[in-house]
Amino acid sequence: KLLCNFNYTVNWGDGLTENIASGVEVIHVYDYDTIDNATITTEGFKQAIVTITGNGNNMNGYVHLGRPASLINCVNWLDLRISGENITSILLPANYYSAFRLKKFIFLGHTYSGFTLYGPRSSQLKEFSIDYTNLSSLSFMFYNGASFDDMGDIISNATSISYFMGGSYARKLGNVTLQSATNAAYAFNGCKIDEIGSIDLRAAASTVGLFQSSSIKRVGDINITASASIAYGFWCPELISPINLTTSSALADCTYAFYTCGNVPEINITDASGIATTTGMFAGCSRLSSLRLPGMLVSFSISSCNMGAAALNTLFGDLADLSALPTKTITITGNPGAATCNQAIATAKNWTVVS
C-alpha cells in the first residue's frame, strides 16, 4: 500500500510496473507462488524489491508505506533504502505493523522536514543510517518506533524535537547536538536507552517532560541554557549517573523535575537563580548525596535524600543571600548529615532550616 503526493512509477518487484498519480492510494497484492523461491527467508517469507521513482526525478512530498487492514499479513518490510532530495516526510504507520520485520533503514536524501518510523519495538533495526544535518524537524521522528542498537551521534539544525524518541528503544545514543531546537518538550518521553552522550539543547525554551517516565541508565552533560521549564523532566528510576544541567536564570518551573530519580547520586544545576516552582522537585531522590543550586531564592525540600554534613554545607553555601528579602525554607529532614551540618551557613543568609 503506497500513498505519495507526487507522480511516480513503482516497480513492485514481481514483474509489474505501474505509473501512479499524486495523491492516489495504491494497493498491490502479491501472488506467493510467482515470487522467486531464492528469496525465501528462514521464516518462510518471500521477498520482493519495491522501487519508487518520481517522474522527472521529482520526489518533493511525502511517502506513506503501509498496508490495508483487510490484508493484515501481506507485507513485512525488511530493508528500506530511500533517496530523495526534497521528501517532506516518510511514514511507516504502526496501526498496520508495517515495520514489524524491518531490519535496515538507509536514507540517502538530506533536505526533508521529517521522518516518522512507527512500529513494534520488539524488532531491532540492525542497520540504520540517516543524515540529520539539514532536517527542519525531528518531532515524533521515532515516536513508539522500532528498537535500535548504537544510533551514533545526532547533529541537526532542526528547530523542533518534541517527542523525538518518545517510547523508542536503543542500547546507545551518542552525543545529541541540536543547538537550533526551540522546542524539546517530551523529546525522550517514555524511551528506553542504556546510555546517552552529552545533549546540547541550548536554544530550547521548553524542555518540559524531557525524560519523563524514561528508562535510561546513563546520560552525559545537558545544556538547556534557554529552558524555562524542566517540569516532570527527569522521571528516571533506573538512571544511575549524575545529572549535570547547564542552565540560566530563565529556568523557572521545576515541578517534580527529578521525581523518582531514586538511584541518581548527584544533581548539579549551574544557575538556580530564576527557579520559582519547586513542588516535588526532589521527591523520591533517596540516594542523592550531592546537590548544587547556586543562587537559589525559593523554598524547597530535599527531605529523605542521602546528603551528609559536608554536602549540606556546600548546598547551604549555594543559597542566595536573603538578608534584604523575606525568609525562605530549606527542608533537610531525613538526610544523614541533618544533625551535624552547619546550619548557620544558611541561617546567616535569612534561610530557615527544617531538620
Side-chain angles (χ1 to χ4, degrees), residues 32 35-47:
Y32 184 87
I35 306 297
D36 190 344
N37 287 333
T39 69
I40 294 179
T41 69
T42 56
E43 297 168 301
F45 290 94
K46 290 186 178 181
Q47 305 173 59

Side-chain angles (χ1 to χ4, degrees), residues 229-251:
S229 176
I230 55 171
Y232 316 104
F234 295 85
W235 292 18
C236 309
E238 296 181 30
L239 184 62
I240 59 175
S241 66
I243 297 176
N244 297 314
L245 302 180
T246 299
T247 60
S248 71
S249 59
L251 182 61

Side-chain angles (χ1 to χ4, degrees), residues 213-216 234-240 259-264:
S213 302
S214 295
S215 297
I216 59 172
F234 295 85
W235 292 18
C236 309
E238 296 181 30
L239 184 62
I240 59 175
Y259 180 65
T260 72
C261 285
N263 290 300
V264 171

Side-chain angles (χ1 to χ4, degrees), residues 188-222:
F188 300 93
N189 173 55
C191 71
K192 183 176 182 180
I193 305 174
D194 287 348
E195 181 180 352
I196 306 176
S198 62
I199 299 176
D200 191 341
L201 298 170
R202 63 182 63 189
S206 175
T207 53
V208 61
L210 186 65
F211 284 99
Q212 186 181 37
S213 302
S214 295
S215 297
I216 59 172
K217 295 181 179 178
R218 294 178 176 83
V219 63
D221 295 348
I222 302 173

Side-chain angles (χ1 to χ4, degrees), residues 3 25 36 56 62 78 84 124 197-198 236 322 329 337-338 347:
L3 175 63
E25 186 175 84
D36 190 344
Y62 60 74
L78 296 175
Q124 188 179 74
S198 62
C236 309
L322 304 179
T329 300
T347 58

Side-chain angles (χ1 to χ4, degrees), residues 133-165:
T133 307
N134 295 313
L135 304 188
S136 60
S137 174
L138 302 186
S139 291
F140 292 94
M141 192 169 196
F142 303 116
Y143 185 68
N144 287 332
S147 63
F148 305 88
D149 185 41
D150 186 344
M151 297 186 69
D153 295 341
I154 294 178
I155 302 173
S156 176
N157 296 315
T159 57
S160 178
I161 65 162
S162 59
Y163 294 96
F164 170 48
M165 287 198 67

Side-chain angles (χ1 to χ4, degrees), residues 38-61:
T39 69
I40 294 179
T41 69
T42 56
E43 297 168 301
F45 290 94
K46 290 186 178 181
Q47 305 173 59
I49 298 175
V50 180
T51 305
I52 302 170
T53 305
N55 293 352
N57 291 319
N58 173 31
M59 294 181 72
N60 187 0

